[in-house]
Amino acid sequence: MSRDADGLAPPSRCRPTDELPPLLEFRDGSPVESTADWRERRDELRELLRHYVYGYAPEAPEIETTSERTAGVLDGAATLVETEIAFAALPPDAPSITMATFLPSDAVDDDRSVPVLLGLNWGGNHAAVEDPAVTITDAAREHGGREDGAAERGVAADYWCVEHVLSRGYGFATYHLADVDPDDGDPATGVRPYYDDDLPGPLGTEWGTLAAWAWGLQRCVDALRPMEAVRADEIAVLGHSRCGKAALLAGATDERIGLVAPHQSGTGGMALDRDNDQEGIGDIIGTFPQWFADTYAAFDGQVDRLPVDSHSLAALVAPRPLIDTAGARDYWTNPGRALDAVRAAEPVWELLGAEGVGDDLPLYGDDEISEETVGSLCHYRRETAHTLDEGYLDAILDFADVHFDGA
Ligand code: GTR
């Protein structure tokens, strides 16, 4: 199915989750009954997801970081730390990641460490805030916004709401996806060609762009954790849309990430492939073949043969907290099938002794998000189409407040 003129189509119906591949059963049919069993099943699912959907990323590389600090940015609200993350084994002209980290000035003044929201951006770090201190990188000049050339400074300020995030006691870190892969569909650009010979999987399972962006987020985690101002176990990853798919994948495959917040991530993210009457495998592979391993395309038209689905990916986050945020009018991302995935993943949180979703999903709009109302797995909606704004960020931070100590 494709979008109509407004990008909208009727929402899909939900279907019983027992038609999904089971989570608490090994491939050989034996049951998963304990935490130890789950560790093994987790590895099995992770392997299947790499093999059939996202592809194999290389092992964590050795990184080299250099940082520059500027106090008093955002009208005095933040200290900006710009960190260049280079890959030790790669030649000097290979891509590197420029991570911008904004720390609340009051926390810096008091030598206090803060939890950090780490977001993957598509317009360049300089587009996330209106402040001349942020470097416009070469990658952002070349692959700026959604069109050629650099995006305007601050064009996404109302989207990331960085000052608001800081005012809530969180730091905000971000990197531009083009640093790792510009999403132009050319396998010769970005970081992937440098690792062609080091990928652990068989032919056809090489990492797609989503896995590369996720790997980039994990490199940011490498660089954030040693920072004194950062609470290493309180790093939350966030991304919207294609970046939400990458954020979920990053969080699912890296236990150092303390909280996972895929926003309107849709197909390839939280929405199930099975019975998805919005963006199907054929649609997404047809437009963005570079996002996935080549193996994924084979499931177009025979999704029931896929041994995993998005609930499998979500379950890898357990027992860590996961909040899936969705727009009630963002039909293309299929909020209904994202909620079904959340519900289907819940038994894994319960097996691991964490409180799952409770009875009241989805949470909507002004619904309270507090220790009384949420467990470790949440699906929250607002009455919007495809966008990120302060209302969603507040929901994510309310959820983070429940699970983190540091804000
Ligand atoms: C759409 C794609 C979605 C989503 C979106 C985006 O065209 O079909 O899966 O990723 O792009 O990233 O904005």
Side-chain angles (χ1 to χ4, degrees), residues 291-371:
W291 286 358
F292 300 90
D294 290 348
T295 41
Y296 184 55
F299 297 94
D300 178 23
Q302 46 176 357
V303 64
D304 283 333
R305 302 188 67 168
L306 190 59
V308 284
D309 210 318
S310 64
H311 67 315
S312 321
L313 182 63
L316 299 188
V317 177
R320 291 168 293 143
L322 166 60
I323 180 166
D324 176 48
T325 46
R329 285 187 285 111
D330 184 21
Y331 301 131
W332 185 240
T333 62
N334 208 331
R337 288 307 264 163
L339 176 57
D340 288 345
V342 166
R343 289 208 173 102
E346 182 183 28
V348 178
W349 268 264
E350 288 176 340
L351 174 76
L352 301 178
E355 196 188 334
V357 297
D359 300 327
D360 290 335
L361 293 193
L363 293 178
Y364 267 105
D366 293 335
D367 282 352
E368 189 188 314
I369 297 181
S370 69
E371 270 173 38

Side-chain angles (χ1 to χ4, degrees), residues 185-221:
D186 179 354
T189 55
V191 89
R192 285 186 298 157
Y194 291 89
Y195 288 100
D196 275 351
D197 299 332
D198 295 319
L199 299 176
L203 206 65
T205 65
E206 292 81 9
W207 54 340
T209 306
L210 295 174
W213 291 333
W215 179 90
L217 283 167
Q218 293 166 349
R219 304 298 62 86
C220 290
V221 173

Side-chain angles (χ1 to χ4, degrees), residues 114-128:
V114 289
V116 170
L117 191 59
L118 168 62
L120 176 59
N121 78 71
W122 46 263
N125 299 346
H126 69 284

